Amino acid sequence: MNKPERMDTATEDAMLELGRRARAAAHLLSLASPEAKNNALIAAAEALRAATPEILAANVKDIEAARAAGRPESFIDRLLLHEKRINAMADGVAEIAKLADPIGTVLAEWQRPNGLRFQRVRVPLGVIGIIYESRPNVTADAGALALKAGNAAILRGGSESIHSSRVIHAALVAGLKAAGLPEAAISLVPTPDRAAVGMMLTGLNGTVDVIVPRGGKSLVERVQNEARVPVFAHLEGLCHTYVDRNADLAMAVDIVLNAKMRRTGVCGATETLLVDSSAPAAFMPTLVKALLDAGCEVRGDTATQQADARVKPAADADWSTEYLDAIISAREVDGIDGALAHIARYSTQHTDAIVTNDADTAARFQREVDSAIVVHNASTQFADGGEFGFGGEIGIATGKMHARGPVGVEQLTSFKYVVMGNGQTRPS
Amino acid sequence: MNKPERMDTATEDAMLELGRRARAAAHLLSLASPEAKNNALIAAAEALRAATPEILAANVKDIEAARAAGRPESFIDRLLLHEKRINAMADGVAEIAKLADPIGTVLAEWQRPNGLRFQRVRVPLGVIGIIYESRPNVTADAGALALKAGNAAILRGGSESIHSSRVIHAALVAGLKAAGLPEAAISLVPTPDRAAVGMMLTGLNGTVDVIVPRGGKSLVERVQNEARVPVFAHLEGLCHTYVDRNADLAMAVDIVLNAKMRRTGVCGATETLLVDSSAPAAFMPTLVKALLDAGCEVRGDTATQQADARVKPAADADWSTEYLDAIISAREVDGIDGALAHIARYSTQHTDAIVTNDADTAARFQREVDSAIVVHNASTQFADGGEFGFGGEIGIATGKMHARGPVGVEQLTSFKYVVMGNGQTRPS
């Protein structure tokens, strides 16, 4: 087992105490009524709105520090809060209160010939450790979703957003207190100490049930190396959009522009454009021109370079680079087979899209692409729990275990089997 | 990262090649028709029956080695195959062919106001690594279930059952060949080298999607320490049966006897008997006498010792010991509250049962006990995928992620989201 970085005993004790309190809170939450949880969420949303000036002031500190550290604009965009985003965050928390309570739902029910009756019943997961980086709104989204699903959350936000996160967390705690729920139901790790992350990854002495990492490559690598508790795998989003010979070109241009440029810093942004080599000659130049004219750098293969003089040559590394910026890699592929082969090799199994009016080709693409989300004739930027109708998300899981795709309330639950008999014993 | 034990380069290369071939086979299997998979299973069942003499001969070798090594009878029982068990194994494989094919099932379907249509579609998990110990029938169960769910399986059986497992595996491969499916769809690790397990736990170079450990404490501990891929947590089954004051005593005796003594070596066997201190005076002596008369050693608290002179005193360690033998720990508890407290402290969250005719008490027990399977008025030995109607199981998962309880065909699948649009782009 890797040793976590050294930390002083006081901080270590504080982390273990955080875990113990979260575990005790999780037990109470697992038995809490839907009303209590919803009251906490509604009160938290109100507290968030009321705290707008404090949140903005705290966010200014975070933004100034990020600018001083020379962070790129896409990073600043993820960090930035303004009134509209704070309102959206509060709306998000209030919306979660309106969702159906998942706990206690009977997912399946059946009887066996021996008279035993079985129910599969939804229960909370327990204590969820969420490790994230720059987006301060994750504090509210993650805390609220975990609460709705009857879980305790231990949030460890990035040091870059710590001022914003603290004020947001205080509003959530105000909501919990107003509803008579334990404050430890949503904890924010108080220290920016990286060793605290190490402790979370080893489970805080058995108190953490699952880790949800939300961040870039270095965080994900650390989690993969150090985690001793289950993890919602959350790799980068190296998303592809494939434009087939049977696509509507105007639709393809709209979709590709949106998929790349709507917000370049999100994990559902398309990073690679694949164009069918048998598509009409106008396809590649039209798509590439639209991207270039919108301010996107294009790095392409020979065919792409021939389509527009502004295209730069793509290096091998480009096909496996998540830019999170106004840059796209582009190449011709040999139809659906070529697209499937390229995606199988380079996709991070997050979200991949096809644009085509051929139903068979679309069906094959959606069947064979082994990604969490496979889109036909729409933008990859719909990869988002809110857009799925999940009422928010903690992130997009790229693993295949438990949660896959947007991690919303239902994905934060487990189940148990309730078996009802009248004296049955098992024959040998 | 822990280094796996040293192994020679040839073995290491062979293991990596096994992983590559399994990954390639998994891709083909994910697209295989239900008919092809079922044909393979039916042919494998026939091959198993036809190989009965060879399986018995191989099993004799394993049994002799186990006896020479002084293994206990409960171990021999797990290892032992006879004609009836081989038939049951073949029946099990053939039954799995009859189950509905899970792959491609639309689990949920909905539309959003913007016209986007969503489907959640069941897909295979990929490559499943199964690490088990003495039961040779796991080779057939696990291989067949993985195949039905469209997965490739890498099986690493215990060295104690290696002769039996090899012959069983050959029958499965004969089934795959007969159906035109890749032989690498079900691989048996050829070496008894413990380092092979270490390689599987680190994912065989990214080719293993999930590990299913099936074995005792030392295996589980090793898996928890070394695994770098997701694991279906599979702890020991420290199962409890609580006899409430409102139980029917005759029913309680039947259930407790069956729960402990039907087969003592299975993970669903009850290891601790809890008796309500407010139950009628006859309860404890009657239950204890029935156990003792059936040849079960009883280790109890003072109240239990007073019930029968043959009861031995229980030490602290008894409450956390999975005997897997004809031994039970027993104590009085202060009603449902005492039972819940004892179970919360000592249960491994596998299977726990209550015997009572009070519906409210039963409902509270089933709500508050945080175990995979919570049983009312029936034996804990029903903790088995076959008894649940799952058509076989790889094991009982005690974690809360993905699979919980019996791991059958459906638990060996994942899902993906298929999103269908007509040109939708996401507003900013």
Side-chain angles (χ1 to χ4, degrees):
Chain A
M1 195 189 294
N2 284 350
K3 288 234 173 108
E5 291 91 337
R6 275 180 192 287
M7 64 196 303
D8 61 278
T9 316
T11 312
E12 195 173 332
D13 288 349
M15 286 297 294
L16 291 176
E17 176 62 17
L18 199 87
R20 275 190 295 273
R21 292 179 65 220
R23 167 61 59 202
H27 179 68
L28 295 174
L29 276 185
S30 75
L31 304 172
S33 70
E35 293 68 35
K37 292 184 284 184
N38 293 339
N39 287 342
L41 291 167
I42 293 162
E46 283 166 15
L48 280 170
R49 284 188 229 280
T52 300
E54 291 88 339
I55 296 172
L56 288 174
N59 192 244
V60 165
K61 284 193 209 168
D62 289 331
I63 294 285
E64 280 171 357
R67 289 210 193 277
R71 299 288 195 163
E73 272 313 302
S74 56
F75 183 96
I76 302 286
D77 176 54
R78 289 200 292 280
L79 188 54
L80 180 70
L81 292 175
H82 43 60
E83 204 158 328
K84 196 175 153 195
R85 283 191 184 170
I86 295 170
N87 265 321
M89 186 162 65
D91 288 348
V93 171
E95 282 297 317
I96 290 168
K98 290 185 201 158
L99 295 175
D101 194 286
I103 302 308
T105 308
V106 176
L107 300 168
E109 195 163 15
W110 67 99
Q111 187 156 13
R112 296 285 296 162
N114 60 7
L116 282 181
R117 289 182 300 125
F118 291 78
Q119 287 186 336
R120 196 150 64 94
V121 179
R122 216 187 264 289
V123 302
L125 274 174
V127 176
I128 301 178
I130 299 142
I131 303 171
Y132 52 105
E133 293 183 328
S134 51
R135 288 179 204 279
N137 60 305
V138 175
T139 309
D141 295 352
L145 285 167
L147 174 64
K148 180 78 185 192
N151 300 296
I154 299 177
L155 308 171
R156 201 283 186 181
S159 51
E160 309 87 350
S161 56
I162 189 72
H163 297 99
S164 314
S165 290
R166 278 183 188 147
V167 184
I168 293 168
H169 175 249
L172 300 179
V173 169
L176 290 166
K177 283 165 88 167
L181 292 177
E183 291 181 39
I186 305 176
S187 308
L188 184 70
V189 173
T191 164
D193 199 329
R194 284 189 81 237
V197 173
M199 289 190 71
M200 287 175 71
L201 292 177
T202 54
L204 288 178
N205 223 354
T207 55
V208 176
D209 290 289
V210 56
I211 291 287
V212 184
R214 173 135 187 206
K217 231 172 182 167
S218 70
L219 172 63
V220 169
E221 275 168 9
R222 181 170 186 201
V223 168
Q224 284 179 326
N225 281 336
E226 291 183 31
R228 288 297 172 285
V229 289
V231 172
F232 284 144
H234 192 111
L235 298 177
E236 48 190 340
L238 209 160
C239 306
H240 300 77
T241 297
Y242 165 61
V243 178
D244 183 62
R245 67 193 72 171
N246 292 311
D248 176 289
L249 181 55
M251 183 197 285
V253 168
D254 284 352
I255 286 174
V256 170
L257 267 183
N258 185 267
K260 176 72 248 183
M261 297 299 286
R262 172 186 159 271
R263 284 180 75 175
T264 57
V266 298
C267 58
T270 285
E271 305 290 9
T272 299
L273 168 67
L274 304 173
V275 179
D276 187 346
S277 57
S278 300
F283 272 39
M284 183 65 98
T286 310
L287 288 161
V288 166
K289 181 175 189 305
L291 285 161
L292 290 161
D293 291 353
C296 183
E297 178 179 326
V298 179
R299 301 183 188 171
D301 66 351
T302 311
T304 314
Q305 292 173 57
Q306 285 166 351
D308 196 299
R310 294 170 289 175
V311 173
K312 297 179 182 167
D316 276 355
D318 281 298
W319 311 117
S320 40
T321 299
E322 186 190 22
Y323 303 111
L324 294 174
D325 208 341
I327 308 171
I328 197 168
S329 55
R331 63 168 290 206
E332 256 188 20
V333 290
D334 188 9
I336 175 81
D337 288 303
L340 290 171
H342 183 99
I343 290 169
R345 177 153 178 206
Y346 295 107
S347 169
T348 53
Q349 304 189 296
H350 186 293
T351 301
D352 296 290
I354 183 173
V355 186
T356 186
N357 287 328
D358 184 287
D360 289 344
T361 305
R364 185 172 165 213
F365 186 89
Q366 293 193 304
R367 180 157 183 250
E368 297 199 17
V369 170
D370 188 17
S371 296
I373 305 169
V374 192
V375 180
H376 174 212
N377 284 352
S379 168
T380 55
Q381 298 226 359
F382 283 110
D384 174 277
E387 294 295 326
F388 274 56
F390 289 0
E393 63 164 43
I394 284 191
I396 307 278
T398 54
K400 290 184 177 179
M401 297 283 292
H402 194 90
R404 194 182 196 200
V407 180
V409 171
E410 287 193 359
Q411 287 72 32
L412 295 177
T413 64
S414 180
F415 57 84
K416 67 179 168 192
Y417 293 99
V418 167
V419 184
M420 286 151 291
N422 46 23
Q424 282 86 344
T425 56
R426 188 173 170 191
S428 43
Chain B
M1 194 189 291
N2 285 351
K3 287 233 174 106
E5 291 91 338
R6 272 178 195 290
M7 63 196 302
D8 61 278
T9 316
T11 313
E12 193 173 333
D13 288 350
M15 285 299 293
L16 292 175
E17 176 62 17
L18 200 86
R20 275 189 296 272
R21 292 179 64 220
R23 167 62 59 202
H27 179 67
L28 294 174
L29 276 185
S30 75
L31 304 172
S33 71
E35 293 69 34
K37 292 184 285 184
N38 293 340
N39 288 344
L41 291 167
I42 292 163
E46 283 166 16
L48 280 169
R49 283 187 230 281
T52 300
E54 290 88 338
I55 296 173
L56 288 173
N59 191 244
V60 164
K61 286 192 208 168
D62 289 331
I63 294 285
E64 280 170 358
R67 288 210 195 275
R71 299 289 197 164
E73 272 313 303
S74 55
F75 183 95
I76 302 285
D77 177 54
R78 289 199 292 279
L79 186 54
L80 181 69
L81 292 175
H82 43 60
E83 204 159 327
K84 196 176 155 197
R85 283 190 184 170
I86 295 170
N87 266 322
M89 186 162 66
D91 288 349
V93 171
E95 283 296 317
I96 291 168
K98 291 186 200 157
L99 296 174
D101 194 284
I103 301 309
T105 309
V106 176
L107 300 168
E109 195 163 15
W110 67 98
Q111 187 156 14
R112 295 284 297 162
N114 60 7
L116 282 181
R117 289 182 301 124
F118 291 78
Q119 286 186 336
R120 196 149 65 94
V121 179
R122 217 187 266 288
V123 301
L125 274 174
V127 176
I128 301 179
I130 299 142
I131 302 171
Y132 52 104
E133 293 182 329
S134 51
R135 288 180 204 279
N137 60 306
V138 175
T139 309
D141 296 353
L145 286 167
L147 173 64
K148 180 77 182 192
N151 300 296
I154 298 178
L155 308 172
R156 201 284 185 183
S159 52
E160 308 87 351
S161 56
I162 189 72
H163 297 99
S164 314
S165 291
R166 277 183 190 148
V167 184
I168 294 167
H169 175 250
L172 300 178
V173 169
L176 289 167
K177 282 166 90 168
L181 291 177
E183 292 181 39
I186 305 176
S187 309
L188 184 70
V189 174
T191 164
D193 200 330
R194 283 190 80 239
V197 173
M199 288 191 73
M200 287 176 71
L201 293 176
T202 54
L204 287 179
N205 222 355
T207 55
V208 176
D209 290 290
V210 56
I211 291 287
V212 184
R214 173 134 186 206
K217 231 174 183 166
S218 70
L219 172 64
V220 169
E221 274 168 11
R222 179 168 187 204
V223 168
Q224 282 178 329
N225 281 335
E226 291 183 29
R228 287 298 172 286
V229 288
V231 172
F232 285 143
H234 193 110
L235 298 178
E236 48 190 340
L238 209 160
C239 305
H240 299 77
T241 297
Y242 165 61
V243 178
D244 183 61
R245 69 193 70 170
N246 292 310
D248 176 287
L249 180 56
M251 182 196 287
V253 168
D254 284 350
I255 287 175
V256 169
L257 268 185
N258 185 267
K260 176 71 249 182
M261 297 299 286
R262 173 186 159 270
R263 283 181 74 176
T264 58
V266 298
C267 58
T270 284
E271 305 290 9
T272 300
L273 167 67
L274 304 173
V275 179
D276 188 346
S277 57
S278 300
F283 273 39
M284 182 66 96
T286 310
L287 288 161
V288 166
K289 180 174 189 306
L291 286 161
L292 289 161
D293 291 353
C296 183
E297 177 180 327
V298 179
R299 301 183 188 172
D301 64 352
T302 311
T304 313
Q305 291 172 59
Q306 285 166 352
D308 196 299
R310 295 170 288 173
V311 173
K312 297 180 181 168
D316 276 355
D318 281 298
W319 311 117
S320 38
T321 298
E322 186 190 22
Y323 303 110
L324 294 173
D325 208 341
I327 309 171
I328 196 168
S329 55
R331 62 169 291 205
E332 255 189 19
V333 291
D334 187 8
I336 175 82
D337 288 304
L340 290 171
H342 183 99
I343 290 169
R345 178 153 177 204
Y346 295 107
S347 169
T348 53
Q349 303 191 296
H350 186 295
T351 301
D352 296 293
I354 183 172
V355 186
T356 185
N357 286 328
D358 185 287
D360 289 345
T361 304
R364 186 174 164 210
F365 187 89
Q366 293 193 302
R367 180 158 183 251
E368 297 199 17
V369 169
D370 188 15
S371 296
I373 305 170
V374 193
V375 180
H376 174 211
N377 284 351
S379 168
T380 55
Q381 298 226 3
F382 284 110
D384 174 277
E387 294 296 326
F388 274 56
F390 289 180
E393 63 164 42
I394 284 192
I396 308 277
T398 54
K400 291 184 176 179
M401 296 283 291
H402 195 88
R404 195 182 196 201
V407 180
V409 172
E410 288 193 358
Q411 288 71 32
L412 295 177
T413 64
S414 180
F415 58 83
K416 68 179 167 191
Y417 293 100
V418 167
V419 185
M420 287 151 290
N422 46 24
Q424 283 86 345
T425 56
R426 187 172 169 193
S428 43

